[in-house]
Each structure stands twice: as C-alpha cells, then as structure tokens.
Amino acid sequence: MLQQSGFGIAVTGSGSCTPQVSLDNHGLSQIVETSDEWIAARTGIRSRRLANHGMSLCDLATFASQQALSMAQILPTDIDLIILATSSPDDLFGTAGQIQYRLGATKAVAFDLTAACSGFVFGLVTASQFIRTGVYQNVLLIGADILSRWVNWSDRGTCILFGDGAGAVVLQASEIDRFLGFEIRSDGTQNSSLNLAYKAQSQELIDGVNIGQGTFQPITMNGQEIYRFAVKKVPEVIEKAMFRANISATEIDWLLLHQANQRILDAVAQRLHIPPEKVISNLANYGNTSAASIPLALDEAVRQGKVKAGDTIAAAGFGAGLSWGAVIFQWGS
C-alpha cells in the first residue's frame, strides 16, 4: 500500500558520462606552478576529465540520461518531468529542453535548476515532491556541469579542482517508499566565498540611457572558508536528515558526498563516525564535477557492484550560494 502521507519514491536507475580527454596533475604542472604531490596531498585529486570545444553539456547529459533510463527499464516517452541541475548550461535560458528533445521524451516538462554543487541534492528534493503529491510518476534528474568553461587556468587555487561530467537518476512512484528524509539549507551571507560572477560595463544607448553589458567571470573561491563551512555544516545537515528518516549513522551503508576534496570527505565521515570503507569516493579520477559529482559517483558504485538494492545512502551536497543539503534514500525499487 502507498503511504497515507503520499506516494512512495524509489530511485530505480542511474547513468553517467564523462569526456574522454583527461588532464592529470603532471599535465597541469605544465600550465601552472604546481605538482602531482602538491595537488594530491591537498585535494586527493589525481586527474580530471575535460570537454573539448565541440562537446556540449547536452551531449554529456543526454548520454547519462539514456543509461539511467535503460537501467530503470523505462522509455523516454514514460518520463513526466526532467530536471537538469547545472551551473554551466549551453544556453543561459536553459538546456533541459534540449535534452528532452534529444531523448524523445515527448511527454516530459523540462527545466533547469541552479544550486551549484548542491544542485543534485536540491534536485532530488524537488523531484520527490512532484512524485510525493501524485502529480508525476516518473522523473529524470540530471546533474551536469562543464566548469572548465569558467576556470581561470592560470589560477592554481581553482584550476586544479574542477572537471567536467554528467550523471543522472530515474525516480519513480513506488508502493515502498525509499526516500526516507532530507534537509536543505542556504546562507547568502557567505555568498562571496565561491562565485562565478557576472561583470558588466556601462554602455550608453542614447543620451541619459545607460545599460550594463558584459559576461561571466572565471570562478573565484576562498578555499579555507569553504573547507571550514563544509566540515561544520555537512555533518549537521546529514544528522538532521537522519533524524527525519528516523535512522542512525550505524544504519547508513554508504556516505555519498559531493566530491570536492578528499580531506572534506574524510573529516565529515569521522565526525559522523562512519568508517572509511563506507565512503564513496571517485574524486581522484574526476575532480570536482559540481552538480554531476554525486550521481557520477553513485552510478560508478552501482555498476561496480558496491551499491546494492536496498542499501541505505546518505547523500550530501554543498557549495556556492552558500548552499548545502542532505538526502537519505535506499537504492533500488
């Protein structure tokens, strides 16, 4: 029976896609003054995938989505809603509609959601509400970013961190509710800690009429502030989500964090008393892929046979905004 509070939710399929081009730390040391040892010791990153000039966000997201639909064993025409979590769309008006067309998901309404590195978790919560209320049955959620477009490749404080990729999951209405609890938060007072900001220059159209036109500037980040923010807030928000789910840390099978920095992953796990073998991490191979990082790591763990049906996952995203959030769910239908 479906729960009286609404329809149950299950995450039934996953998919991912990364560019073929890889830039390891040794290659990066030819661009800026750095080394593999320096980067790996501070971040845990060894390599990252980069999209070339001919690759679009839509390309990555569409392939990841097709994989997720195949695993869930549903057709594109079964999808009611597509949510694309991204901060680097191909079109500032939105890219979700392009993905809907490419997939042939003719019934689906599609829109972009922007919450930076928290985007996938915010998207999970958003998608779940449409299913919980009975409005939609099948939702495709995508996290995808090509932040190499917006990296200052002469700034070693940021260019060492980011990679490109996409991940997707299918959420479906279910008689057994696998979506156990969540908590999402924002704090705009710390917005300046991580930005991809628009900068305008004054342009006079006619006498007395001025507008501002410009473009977005490369990513800027206060790494120390982001680290302090993450190691404090992420354990707190996971604990709140676990409280809502009425489970304890000992019942968590997998801790799935936004893949930003291995030291952050380790610190959060330690504060929650979750052993290292329960922490999903592919950061070394892909770097920080922003909204793509959680579904990309999840899909890899599922296809490797680590994550199995019924496993309980605590997923948490954190980043620009500043924003952060956690979701507790069980994998599979």
Side-chain angles (χ1 to χ4, degrees), residues 66 69 74-80 82 100 103-108:
Q66 289 168 335
L69 292 173
I74 64 171
L75 298 173
T77 49
D78 295 324
I79 294 295
D80 303 305
I82 298 171
Q100 183 245 26
L103 288 174
T106 52
K107 285 195 333 182

Side-chain angles (χ1 to χ4, degrees), residues 14-21 49-51 55-68 102 142-146 163-168 282 286 289 292-293 295-297 299-300 303:
S14 65
S16 60
C17 182
T18 56
Q20 291 185 345
V21 174
R49 301 290 184 89
L50 302 178
M55 178 171 284
S56 69
L57 188 82
C58 188
D59 293 334
L60 294 172
T62 299
F63 187 85
S65 299
Q66 289 168 335
Q67 284 195 325
R102 289 268 293 271
I142 309 158
D145 270 304
I146 301 181
D164 304 330
N282 64 359
Y286 302 105
T289 56
S293 75
L296 178 58
D299 182 57
E300 193 168 79
R303 293 178 187 275

Side-chain angles (χ1 to χ4, degrees), residues 170-294:
V170 173
L171 295 90
Q172 295 185 271
S174 171
E175 291 188 356
I176 301 174
D177 194 11
R178 304 291 189 182
F179 196 86
L180 307 181
F182 70 88
E183 183 80 11
I184 53 177
R185 295 293 182 92
S186 298
D187 181 5
T189 64
Q190 298 189 71
N191 176 264
S192 61
S193 297
L194 181 54
N195 296 110
L196 202 171
Y198 175 81
K199 184 177 181 181
Q201 292 183 334
S202 178
Q203 179 179 341
E204 187 174 60
L205 300 180
I206 61 173
D207 188 33
V209 178
N210 288 277
I211 62 166
Q213 285 196 328
T215 188
F216 291 94
Q217 303 302 295
I219 295 167
T220 59
M221 185 178 72
N222 185 327
Q224 291 183 340
E225 284 299 318
I226 294 296
Y227 179 84
R228 283 195 288 265
F229 148 73
V231 297
K232 178 183 178 183
K233 296 296 187 180
V234 174
E236 290 178 358
V237 81
I238 292 173
E239 286 175 338
K240 286 184 171 63
M242 289 193 300
F243 175 78
R244 293 182 183 279
N246 193 30
I247 65 172
S248 66
T250 58
E251 298 173 87
I252 298 297
D253 294 303
W254 300 103
L255 180 63
L256 176 57
L257 302 180
H258 164 52
Q259 306 286 295
N261 185 304
Q262 189 62 45
R263 291 191 301 163
I264 294 175
L265 272 63
D266 294 342
V268 172
Q270 288 171 9
R271 295 197 180 193
L272 293 170
H273 303 291
I274 292 176
E277 60 270 21
K278 289 188 174 184
V279 179
I280 295 174
S281 175
N282 64 359
L283 177 70
N285 298 323
Y286 302 105
N288 180 343
T289 56
S290 192
S293 75
I294 291 175

Side-chain angles (χ1 to χ4, degrees), residues 81-149:
L81 171 66
I82 298 171
I83 301 174
L84 171 65
T86 187
S87 300
S88 50
D90 295 328
D91 184 333
L92 199 57
F93 288 155
T95 298
Q98 297 176 45
I99 298 167
Q100 183 245 26
Y101 170 70
R102 289 268 293 271
L103 288 174
T106 52
K107 285 195 333 182
V109 62
F111 63 83
D112 289 22
L113 181 155
T114 301
C117 300
S118 303
F120 186 77
V121 168
F122 278 40
L124 276 175
V125 174
T126 302
S128 72
Q129 305 312 300
F130 283 102
I131 297 174
R132 186 77 77 202
T133 56
V135 176
Y136 296 131
Q137 297 287 300
N138 302 308
V139 180
L140 173 65
L141 170 63
I142 309 158
D145 270 304
I146 301 181
L147 287 184
S148 61
R149 294 169 171 173

